[in-house]
Amino acid sequence: MFFIEPDQITSTLTYDACIGVMREAMARLSSGDTNQMLRQILPLDAGRMFGVMAGTMGSAAAFGSKLVCVTPERGAQPVPSHQGVVVVFDAETGAPACVAEAGAITAIRTASTSAMATDVLARADSRILAVLGTGDQALHHALAIPHVRQIDEIRIWGRSLEKAQCLAAEVAQKTGISTQADAKVADAVSQADIICTVTAAAAPILFASDVSQGTHINVVGSSFDGPREIDDTVVAISRFYADSTPSVRAQGAEFRHALNSGAVAESHLIGEIGEVLVGKVPGRQSDIDITLFKSLGHIIQDVASAEYIYGRLKAQDS
């Protein structure tokens, strides 16, 4: 059985590769080929959570589970936000094939899924990217989105302007793209073509008055029914897509709050990003549409990523 270290993950699972893996995985999910349980979340102390997810890529395909501790508030110690493992089992023998470090996979596959959704839903001429947040996912989203659009300008917002400035400098150095830090959300998203919300916000930070016509939004930070990054007004003005419809209906805080408040109806959730990929539901209809992809994260994404890495590493060893 392989144990896959973080450096093996980052060297093997490139953004370009992972975007392709996510495209196939989400199309398979929406075609009914996969099977998975809703994530189970056990609250811990100090705002931490222990998450358990399990799923299979198909009836005769790889299956596995993810066990992860999420630490939203890291305090004085540089503790990674996600720590855990992804275990993948061999479809034929039923034996565990590999154990992969979950943090690196989560970081890359989450940003790559947003990039894939952006490629499907954003305007072709999108040039300005706004990233709200300064953590691991903010960095990875800033690095991944330029793989699907010709980004000329990146803007970073965070509650700490100093952290936003540090991240902006890192992104500029790694991408060669003009990157700036903004002190206000409204300034960061003004006339932005693509917005990624990747914060630990408990209450909305983004409102309809901040969003321009034609914008695509990836809503990523909240992974359970509780904290919301965007207001009901943003949900209401958008063409709303899920990574998994059952998951978002059960645990998508932004959609559930807007539904319960009466801001939207059940039908406002158009469908899954995978359904757009396979032609079951329509995507963007005009250049003035505001499209929104709600990402909760999905075990299929983890299993597909780990299986891809495992296959490449085995091929190298043979």
Coordinates of all heavy atoms in Angstrom, one line a residue, residues 125-197:
D125 N -14.4 36.4 -22.2 CA -13.5 37.5 -22.1 C -13.2 38.0 -20.7 O -12.7 39.1 -20.5 CB -14.1 38.7 -22.9 CG -15.4 39.2 -22.3 OD1 -16.0 38.5 -21.4 OD2 -15.9 40.3 -22.8
S126 N -13.4 37.1 -19.7 CA -13.2 37.5 -18.3 C -11.7 37.8 -18.1 O -10.8 37.0 -18.5 CB -13.6 36.4 -17.4 OG -15.0 36.2 -17.4
R127 N -11.4 38.9 -17.5 CA -10.0 39.3 -17.3 C -9.6 39.7 -15.9 O -8.4 39.6 -15.5 CB -9.7 40.6 -18.2 CG -9.7 40.3 -19.7 CD -8.6 39.4 -20.1 NE -8.6 39.2 -21.6 CZ -9.2 38.2 -22.2 NH1 -9.9 37.3 -21.5 NH2 -9.1 38.1 -23.5
I128 N -10.6 40.1 -15.0 CA -10.3 40.6 -13.7 C -10.8 39.5 -12.7 O -12.0 39.2 -12.7 CB -10.9 41.9 -13.4 CG1 -10.4 43.0 -14.4 CG2 -10.6 42.4 -12.0 CD1 -11.1 44.3 -14.2
L129 N -9.9 39.1 -11.8 CA -10.3 38.1 -10.8 C -10.2 38.7 -9.4 O -9.2 39.3 -9.1 CB -9.3 36.9 -10.9 CG -9.3 35.9 -9.7 CD1 -10.6 35.2 -9.6 CD2 -8.1 34.9 -9.9
A130 N -11.2 38.6 -8.6 CA -11.2 39.0 -7.2 C -11.3 37.8 -6.3 O -12.1 36.9 -6.5 CB -12.4 39.9 -6.9
V131 N -10.3 37.7 -5.4 CA -10.3 36.6 -4.4 C -10.6 37.2 -3.0 O -9.8 38.0 -2.5 CB -9.0 35.8 -4.4 CG1 -9.0 34.7 -3.4 CG2 -8.7 35.3 -5.8
L132 N -11.6 36.7 -2.4 CA -12.0 37.2 -1.0 C -11.5 36.1 0.0 O -12.1 35.0 0.0 CB -13.4 37.4 -0.9 CG -14.1 38.4 -2.0 CD1 -15.5 38.6 -1.7 CD2 -13.3 39.7 -2.1
G133 N -10.5 36.4 0.8 CA -9.9 35.5 1.7 C -8.4 35.5 1.5 O -7.8 36.0 0.5
T134 N -7.7 35.1 2.6 CA -6.2 35.1 2.5 C -5.6 33.8 3.0 O -4.4 33.7 3.2 CB -5.7 36.2 3.5 OG1 -6.2 36.0 4.8 CG2 -6.1 37.6 3.0
G135 N -6.3 32.7 3.1 CA -5.8 31.4 3.5 C -5.3 30.6 2.4 O -5.1 31.1 1.3
D136 N -5.2 29.3 2.6 CA -4.7 28.3 1.6 C -5.5 28.4 0.4 O -5.0 28.4 -0.8 CB -4.7 26.9 2.2 CG -3.8 26.7 3.4 OD1 -2.8 27.5 3.5 OD2 -4.0 25.8 4.2
Q137 N -6.8 28.3 0.5 CA -7.7 28.3 -0.7 C -7.6 29.6 -1.5 O -7.8 29.6 -2.7 CB -9.1 28.0 -0.3 CG -9.4 26.5 -0.1 CD -9.0 25.7 -1.3 OE1 -9.2 26.1 -2.5 NE2 -8.6 24.5 -1.1
A138 N -7.4 30.7 -0.8 CA -7.2 32.0 -1.6 C -6.0 31.9 -2.5 O -6.1 32.3 -3.7 CB -7.0 33.1 -0.6
L139 N -4.9 31.4 -2.0 CA -3.7 31.2 -2.8 C -4.0 30.3 -4.0 O -3.7 30.6 -5.1 CB -2.5 30.7 -2.0 CG -1.3 30.3 -2.7 CD1 -0.7 31.5 -3.5 CD2 -0.2 29.7 -1.8
H140 N -4.5 29.1 -3.7 CA -4.7 28.1 -4.7 C -5.7 28.6 -5.8 O -5.6 28.3 -7.0 CB -5.1 26.8 -4.1 CG -4.0 26.1 -3.5 ND1 -3.1 25.4 -4.2 CD2 -3.6 25.9 -2.2 CE1 -2.2 24.8 -3.4 NE2 -2.5 25.1 -2.2
H141 N -6.8 29.3 -5.4 CA -7.7 29.8 -6.4 C -7.1 30.9 -7.3 O -7.3 30.9 -8.5 CB -8.9 30.4 -5.7 CG -10.0 29.4 -5.3 ND1 -9.8 28.5 -4.3 CD2 -11.2 29.2 -5.9 CE1 -10.9 27.7 -4.3 NE2 -11.8 28.1 -5.2
A142 N -6.2 31.7 -6.7 CA -5.5 32.7 -7.4 C -4.6 32.1 -8.4 O -4.3 32.7 -9.5 CB -4.8 33.7 -6.5
L143 N -4.0 31.0 -8.1 CA -3.1 30.3 -9.0 C -3.9 29.4 -10.1 O -3.4 29.2 -11.2 CB -2.2 29.4 -8.2 CG -1.2 30.1 -7.2 CD1 -0.4 29.0 -6.5 CD2 -0.4 31.1 -7.9
A144 N -5.0 28.9 -9.7 CA -5.7 27.9 -10.6 C -6.6 28.6 -11.6 O -6.6 28.2 -12.8 CB -6.6 27.0 -9.7
I145 N -7.3 29.7 -11.3 CA -8.2 30.4 -12.2 C -7.5 30.8 -13.5 O -8.1 30.7 -14.6 CB -9.0 31.5 -11.5 CG1 -9.8 31.0 -10.3 CG2 -9.9 32.2 -12.6 CD1 -10.9 30.0 -10.7
P146 N -6.3 31.4 -13.4 CA -5.6 31.8 -14.7 C -5.3 30.6 -15.6 O -4.9 30.9 -16.8 CB -4.3 32.4 -14.2 CG -4.6 32.9 -12.8 CD -5.5 31.9 -12.2
H147 N -5.5 29.4 -15.2 CA -5.4 28.3 -16.2 C -6.5 28.1 -17.1 O -6.4 27.4 -18.1 CB -5.1 27.0 -15.4 CG -3.8 26.9 -14.8 ND1 -2.8 26.1 -15.3 CD2 -3.2 27.4 -13.7 CE1 -1.7 26.2 -14.6 NE2 -1.9 27.0 -13.6
V148 N -7.7 28.8 -16.8 CA -8.8 28.7 -17.7 C -9.3 30.0 -18.3 O -10.1 30.0 -19.2 CB -10.0 28.1 -16.9 CG1 -9.7 26.7 -16.4 CG2 -10.5 28.9 -15.8
R149 N -8.7 31.1 -17.9 CA -9.0 32.4 -18.4 C -7.8 33.3 -18.5 O -6.9 33.1 -17.7 CB -10.1 33.2 -17.6 CG -11.5 32.6 -17.8 CD -12.1 32.8 -19.2 NE -13.4 32.3 -19.3 CZ -13.8 31.0 -19.6 NH1 -12.9 30.1 -19.7 NH2 -15.1 30.7 -19.7
Q150 N -7.7 34.2 -19.4 CA -6.6 35.1 -19.6 C -6.7 36.2 -18.6 O -7.2 37.3 -18.9 CB -6.5 35.6 -21.0 CG -5.3 36.5 -21.3 CD -4.0 35.8 -21.1 OE1 -3.8 34.7 -21.7 NE2 -3.0 36.3 -20.4
I151 N -6.3 36.0 -17.4 CA -6.4 37.0 -16.3 C -5.3 38.0 -16.4 O -4.1 37.7 -16.4 CB -6.4 36.3 -14.9 CG1 -7.5 35.3 -14.8 CG2 -6.5 37.3 -13.8 CD1 -8.9 35.8 -14.9
D152 N -5.7 39.3 -16.4 CA -4.8 40.4 -16.4 C -4.6 41.1 -15.1 O -3.6 41.8 -14.9 CB -5.3 41.5 -17.4 CG -5.4 41.0 -18.9 OD1 -4.6 40.1 -19.2 OD2 -6.3 41.4 -19.6
E153 N -5.6 40.9 -14.2 CA -5.5 41.6 -12.9 C -6.1 40.7 -11.8 O -7.2 40.1 -12.0 CB -6.2 42.9 -13.0 CG -6.2 43.7 -11.7 CD -7.0 45.0 -11.8 OE1 -7.4 45.4 -13.0 OE2 -7.4 45.6 -10.8
I154 N -5.5 40.6 -10.7 CA -6.0 39.9 -9.5 C -6.1 40.8 -8.4 O -5.1 41.6 -8.1 CB -5.1 38.7 -9.2 CG1 -5.0 37.7 -10.4 CG2 -5.6 37.9 -8.0 CD1 -4.1 36.5 -10.2
R155 N -7.2 40.7 -7.6 CA -7.4 41.6 -6.4 C -7.6 40.6 -5.3 O -8.4 39.7 -5.4 CB -8.6 42.5 -6.6 CG -8.4 43.4 -7.8 CD -9.7 44.1 -8.1 NE -9.7 44.9 -9.3 CZ -10.8 45.4 -9.9 NH1 -12.0 45.2 -9.3 NH2 -10.8 46.1 -11.0
I156 N -7.0 41.0 -4.1 CA -7.1 40.2 -2.9 C -7.7 41.0 -1.8 O -7.3 42.1 -1.6 CB -5.7 39.6 -2.5 CG1 -5.0 38.9 -3.6 CG2 -5.9 38.8 -1.2 CD1 -5.5 37.6 -4.0
W157 N -8.7 40.5 -1.1 CA -9.3 41.1 0.1 C -9.2 40.1 1.2 O -9.4 38.9 1.1 CB -10.7 41.5 -0.1 CG -11.3 42.0 1.2 CD1 -11.3 43.2 1.7 CD2 -12.0 41.2 2.1 NE1 -11.9 43.3 2.9 CE2 -12.4 42.0 3.2 CE3 -12.4 39.8 2.2 CZ2 -13.1 41.5 4.3 CZ3 -13.1 39.3 3.3 CH2 -13.4 40.2 4.4
G158 N -8.9 40.7 2.4 CA -9.0 39.9 3.6 C -9.3 40.8 4.8 O -9.1 42.1 4.7
R159 N -9.7 40.3 5.9 CA -10.0 41.1 7.1 C -8.7 41.8 7.6 O -8.8 42.9 8.1 CB -10.6 40.3 8.2 CG -12.0 39.7 7.8 CD -12.7 39.1 9.0 NE -13.9 38.3 8.6 CZ -15.0 38.9 8.3 NH1 -15.2 40.2 8.4 NH2 -16.1 38.1 8.0
S160 N -7.6 41.2 7.3 CA -6.3 41.8 7.6 C -5.7 42.3 6.3 O -5.3 41.5 5.4 CB -5.4 40.8 8.3 OG -4.0 41.2 8.3
L161 N -5.5 43.6 6.2 CA -5.0 44.1 5.0 C -3.5 43.7 4.9 O -3.0 43.4 3.7 CB -5.0 45.7 5.0 CG -4.4 46.4 3.8 CD1 -5.1 45.9 2.5 CD2 -4.5 47.9 4.0
E162 N -2.8 43.5 6.0 CA -1.4 43.1 5.9 C -1.3 41.7 5.3 O -0.5 41.4 4.5 CB -0.8 43.1 7.3 CG 0.6 42.6 7.4 CD 1.2 42.6 8.8 OE1 0.5 43.0 9.7 OE2 2.4 42.3 8.9
K163 N -2.2 40.8 5.7 CA -2.2 39.4 5.2 C -2.6 39.5 3.7 O -2.0 38.7 2.9 CB -3.2 38.5 5.9 CG -2.7 38.1 7.3 CD -3.8 37.2 8.0 CE -3.3 36.8 9.3 NZ -4.3 35.9 10.0
A164 N -3.5 40.3 3.3 CA -3.9 40.5 1.9 C -2.7 41.0 1.1 O -2.5 40.5 0.0 CB -5.1 41.4 1.8
Q165 N -2.0 41.9 1.6 CA -0.8 42.4 0.9 C 0.3 41.4 0.8 O 0.9 41.3 -0.3 CB -0.3 43.6 1.7 CG -1.2 44.9 1.6 CD -0.7 46.0 2.6 OE1 -0.1 45.7 3.6 NE2 -1.1 47.2 2.3
C166 N 0.5 40.6 1.8 CA 1.5 39.5 1.7 C 1.1 38.5 0.7 O 1.9 38.0 -0.2 CB 1.6 38.8 3.1 SG 2.5 39.8 4.3
L167 N -0.2 38.1 0.6 CA -0.7 37.2 -0.3 C -0.6 37.7 -1.7 O -0.2 37.0 -2.7 CB -2.1 36.7 0.0 CG -2.8 35.7 -1.0 CD1 -2.0 34.5 -1.1 CD2 -4.2 35.4 -0.6
A168 N -1.0 39.0 -1.9 CA -0.9 39.6 -3.2 C 0.5 39.6 -3.8 O 0.8 39.3 -5.0 CB -1.4 41.1 -3.1
A169 N 1.5 39.8 -2.9 CA 2.9 39.8 -3.3 C 3.3 38.4 -3.8 O 4.0 38.2 -4.8 CB 3.8 40.3 -2.2
E170 N 2.8 37.4 -3.0 CA 3.1 36.0 -3.4 C 2.5 35.6 -4.7 O 3.1 34.9 -5.5 CB 2.7 35.1 -2.2 CG 3.0 33.6 -2.5 CD 2.6 32.7 -1.4 OE1 2.0 33.2 -0.4 OE2 2.9 31.5 -1.4
V171 N 1.2 36.0 -4.9 CA 0.5 35.6 -6.1 C 1.2 36.3 -7.3 O 1.4 35.7 -8.4 CB -0.9 36.0 -6.0 CG1 -1.6 35.9 -7.4 CG2 -1.7 35.2 -5.0
A172 N 1.6 37.6 -7.1 CA 2.2 38.3 -8.2 C 3.5 37.6 -8.6 O 3.9 37.5 -9.8 CB 2.4 39.7 -7.8
Q173 N 4.3 37.2 -7.6 CA 5.6 36.6 -7.8 C 5.4 35.2 -8.6 O 6.2 34.9 -9.5 CB 6.3 36.4 -6.5 CG 7.8 35.9 -6.6 CD 7.9 34.4 -6.7 OE1 7.1 33.7 -6.1 NE2 8.8 33.9 -7.5
K174 N 4.4 34.5 -8.2 CA 4.2 33.1 -8.7 C 3.5 33.1 -10.1 O 3.7 32.2 -10.9 CB 3.4 32.3 -7.8 CG 4.2 31.9 -6.5 CD 3.4 30.9 -5.6 CE 4.3 30.5 -4.5 NZ 3.6 29.6 -3.5
T175 N 2.7 34.2 -10.4 CA 1.9 34.2 -11.6 C 2.4 35.2 -12.7 O 2.2 35.0 -13.8 CB 0.5 34.5 -11.4 OG1 0.4 35.8 -10.8 CG2 -0.2 33.5 -10.4
G176 N 3.1 36.2 -12.2 CA 3.5 37.3 -13.1 C 2.4 38.2 -13.5 O 2.5 39.1 -14.4
I177 N 1.2 38.1 -12.8 CA 0.0 38.9 -13.0 C 0.0 40.0 -12.1 O 0.3 39.8 -10.9 CB -1.2 38.0 -12.9 CG1 -1.2 36.9 -14.0 CG2 -2.5 38.8 -13.1 CD1 -2.3 35.8 -13.8
S178 N -0.4 41.2 -12.5 CA -0.6 42.3 -11.7 C -1.6 42.0 -10.6 O -2.7 41.7 -10.8 CB -1.1 43.5 -12.5 OG -1.3 44.6 -11.6
T179 N -1.2 42.1 -9.3 CA -2.0 41.7 -8.2 C -1.9 42.8 -7.1 O -0.9 43.3 -6.8 CB -1.5 40.4 -7.6 OG1 -1.5 39.4 -8.6 CG2 -2.5 39.9 -6.5
Q180 N -3.1 43.1 -6.6 CA -3.2 44.2 -5.5 C -4.0 43.7 -4.4 O -4.9 42.8 -4.5 CB -3.8 45.5 -6.1 CG -5.3 45.3 -6.5 CD -5.8 46.6 -7.1 OE1 -5.3 47.1 -8.1 NE2 -7.0 47.0 -6.6
A181 N -3.8 44.3 -3.2 CA -4.6 44.0 -2.0 C -5.6 45.2 -1.9 O -5.2 46.4 -2.1 CB -3.8 43.9 -0.8
D182 N -6.8 44.9 -1.5 CA -7.8 45.9 -1.3 C -8.3 45.9 0.2 O -8.5 44.8 0.7 CB -9.0 45.8 -2.2 CG -8.7 46.3 -3.6 OD1 -8.4 47.4 -3.8 OD2 -8.6 45.4 -4.5
A183 N -8.6 47.0 0.8 CA -9.1 47.1 2.1 C -10.6 46.8 2.3 O -11.0 46.5 3.4 CB -8.7 48.4 2.8
K184 N -11.3 47.0 1.2 CA -12.8 46.8 1.2 C -13.2 45.8 0.2 O -12.7 45.8 -0.9 CB -13.5 48.2 0.9 CG -13.2 49.2 2.0 CD -13.9 50.5 1.6 CE -13.7 51.6 2.7 NZ -14.4 52.9 2.3
V185 N -14.2 45.0 0.5 CA -14.7 44.0 -0.4 C -15.3 44.7 -1.6 O -15.0 44.2 -2.8 CB -15.9 43.2 0.3 CG1 -16.6 42.4 -0.8 CG2 -15.3 42.3 1.4
A186 N -16.0 45.8 -1.5 CA -16.6 46.5 -2.6 C -15.5 46.9 -3.6 O -15.8 46.9 -4.8 CB -17.4 47.7 -2.1
D187 N -14.4 47.4 -3.1 CA -13.3 47.8 -4.0 C -12.7 46.6 -4.8 O -12.4 46.6 -6.0 CB -12.2 48.5 -3.2 CG -12.6 49.8 -2.7 OD1 -13.6 50.4 -3.2 OD2 -12.0 50.3 -1.7
A188 N -12.5 45.5 -4.0 CA -11.9 44.3 -4.6 C -12.8 43.7 -5.8 O -12.3 43.2 -6.8 CB -11.7 43.2 -3.6
V189 N -14.1 43.7 -5.6 CA -15.0 43.1 -6.6 C -15.5 44.1 -7.6 O -16.2 43.6 -8.5 CB -16.1 42.4 -5.9 CG1 -15.6 41.3 -4.9 CG2 -17.1 43.3 -5.2
S190 N -15.2 45.4 -7.5 CA -15.8 46.3 -8.4 C -15.4 46.0 -9.9 O -14.2 45.9 -10.2 CB -15.3 47.7 -8.1 OG -15.7 48.7 -9.0
Q191 N -16.4 45.8 -10.7 CA -16.1 45.4 -12.1 C -15.4 44.1 -12.3 O -14.8 43.9 -13.4 CB -15.4 46.6 -12.9 CG -16.2 47.9 -12.8 CD -17.6 47.8 -13.4 OE1 -17.8 47.2 -14.5 NE2 -18.6 48.3 -12.6
A192 N -15.3 43.3 -11.3 CA -14.6 42.0 -11.4 C -15.4 41.1 -12.3 O -16.6 41.1 -12.2 CB -14.3 41.4 -10.1
D193 N -14.7 40.3 -13.1 CA -15.4 39.3 -14.0 C -15.6 38.0 -13.3 O -16.5 37.3 -13.6 CB -14.5 39.1 -15.2 CG -14.3 40.4 -16.0 OD1 -15.2 41.0 -16.4 OD2 -13.1 40.7 -16.3
I194 N -14.7 37.7 -12.4 CA -14.8 36.4 -11.6 C -14.5 36.8 -10.1 O -13.5 37.5 -9.8 CB -13.7 35.4 -12.1 CG1 -13.9 35.1 -13.6 CG2 -13.8 34.1 -11.3 CD1 -12.7 34.5 -14.2
I195 N -15.3 36.2 -9.2 CA -15.2 36.4 -7.8 C -15.1 35.0 -7.2 O -16.0 34.2 -7.4 CB -16.3 37.2 -7.2 CG1 -16.4 38.6 -7.8 CG2 -16.1 37.3 -5.7 CD1 -17.7 39.4 -7.4
C196 N -14.1 34.8 -6.3 CA -14.0 33.6 -5.5 C -14.1 34.0 -4.0 O -13.2 34.7 -3.6 CB -12.7 32.9 -5.8 SG -12.5 32.3 -7.5
T197 N -15.1 33.4 -3.3 CA -15.2 33.7 -1.9 C -14.7 32.4 -1.2 O -15.2 31.4 -1.3 CB -16.6 34.0 -1.5 OG1 -17.5 32.8 -1.7 CG2 -17.2 35.2 -2.2

